[in-house]
Amino acid sequence: MLDTGVDLGWGPSMAGFVFNGGTIGRVLIGLFLILAFTATGAVLLFVITAEQLQSSIAAPDIAQFKPTIGSIRQYVAEIERYYAIANSAEDKQTATQRKLFDESVTAQGALAQMTTASDGVRAFINQNNSRYVHWPLQSQPFLAQSRQAAAPQPAPASGSETAPPSTQPAPPEQMSKAPPNVLSFPDELATYFSKYDLAYAAIATTSNGELKSQLEEFKAQTFKRMQPYIDARASYDAAQSRIQSFNAQIAALDSQENGYYAEITDPKYPLHDDAYWNLCEDFYSFKSLVGDWAYNIVLFPKMMLVLILAIFMGILGSLIAISQDYLKDPAKRGFWDILFRIGLGAGVAFALFFFAAAGMLALSQNSSGSQADMSPYLISFLGITGGYLSDRVTAWMREVGENTFKIAAGGPPDRWAVGLAAALTAENLDATVLASATGVTAADAGDWVSLAKPVPGDKQALVSAFLRLHPSKLFTDIAPG
């Protein structure tokens, strides 16, 4: 462990602080293991989801449509386009609804202004009609259109005197002003003055020109006070026009969305079936979640998905084993040893995939041994187990290979030199001379003589030739007891 003992000069409280190279290395390795776990888990999540989506294509409720990855991909694109149209229409509708609300507020404000203006004109008429209208015309109040206004008096016969009209007040319920119909107020006003025009025409003589002039002045003063109403009415009509336009836009957007939905859910297409639509929506949701690049994982052949699953499960198993070792003894594994162990786990899981496909494990759920039909759960189990026990699994694979191919050694097997000690004594020789003659170390030659280890097959002929004895008098396959 390297201890630099560098004082950072941060005061007495930090005087004992030192950089520890070993500690920093362990922290970095720990962070690397955390990142490796995270990345491996993310890949496994994507691959398992993709494999499950592919498996759902074989569901019985959509089997009648004979779906394939290609056809599903095509209809996912249709659903994606539908949602793009729907979302765009919804956004536009939201914006249009906001404008529609604003115009509705404008229209309501204009209506309020029109009401105020009409009430002002009505009050002016009712307060001033007797000022401008004189006998023989009868002054009449300006009631709402729904009220029965006072009818004009019939015209007298030509040349006759006409008595002043009765001035009895109208009943209270007739004088009470009903709420005006604001939009028809100009028509009410025109009707009101038309009654005066009819009454004047009925009594017109050469002597009532002043009466006509006062009546025209009454109209002029009244219509002068109509200008606020006219301005508010113009604002109201413009707002109503825009409201109609916005409503038409909303209806068109609804029609566009509903029309495309009806097109893709036509009974001649599979998307009209709820189960098929839901399956394609699952694919679309996965695509929306992971993006176009990761979505392409779904389009891989199923065998490739299972193989990727096996490899990353092997990596996960190796990471679990490494983390346990590292937690117990951080000095046991270095960074390059960890990388090698991860690669070994991936390689072992890769090999186990083909061992299982070949039936060497007798665990496959498919009697035909087809890789595409093997359970992903079985492959996941084999991968993570192989990664975790990669040392043992490699030894097992070696044993399986040797038994399968009947591999034999290139020369005679190692044997025990049970007669070597007696032969050397008979020739007055020792292990040092034997070592020199056979090209081995004195220690190895001594181990042969003491039966500490067997004599390699390629050295047995040299020993026999050196002592001029048949190998059967020197070596045996039976280990000493």
Side-chain angles (χ1 to χ4, degrees), residues 21-22 24-36 318-319 322-323 326 329-344:
I24 294 176
R26 292 171 189 174
V27 171
L28 292 177
I29 291 178
L31 292 175
F32 169 77
L33 290 175
I34 292 173
L35 292 175
S318 293
L319 289 172
I322 291 169
S323 298
Y326 195 73
D329 185 6
K332 184 177 181 180
R333 295 186 181 275
F335 180 75
W336 295 110
D337 180 58
I338 290 175
L339 290 182
F340 173 77
R341 185 65 170 76
I342 292 174
L344 179 62

Side-chain angles (χ1 to χ4, degrees), residues 92-147:
K92 292 178 181 178
Q93 284 178 337
T94 301
T96 305
Q97 289 284 3
R98 189 177 298 111
K99 295 177 181 178
L100 184 62
F101 175 79
D102 293 341
E103 292 301 329
S104 298
V105 172
T106 301
Q108 290 299 322
L111 278 175
Q113 294 174 7
M114 291 163 62
T115 301
T116 302
S118 63
D119 286 344
V121 172
R122 191 183 305 276
F124 171 78
I125 292 175
N126 289 330
Q127 292 173 7
N128 295 278
N129 55 0
S130 60
R131 175 183 171 188
Y132 292 97
V133 180
H134 300 289
W135 186 88
L137 290 180
Q138 181 181 1
S139 177
Q140 50 188 333
F142 184 17
L143 302 178
Q145 191 177 22
S146 58
R147 295 292 183 179

Side-chain angles (χ1 to χ4, degrees), residues 9-16:
W10 289 347
S13 62
M14 298 296 295

Side-chain angles (χ1 to χ4, degrees), residues 336-369:
W336 295 110
D337 180 58
I338 290 175
L339 290 182
F340 173 77
R341 185 65 170 76
I342 292 174
L344 179 62
V348 168
F350 183 84
L352 284 178
F353 172 83
F354 292 101
F355 268 71
M360 300 302 295
L361 298 177
L363 293 175
S364 176
Q365 294 178 338
N366 179 28
S367 59
S368 66

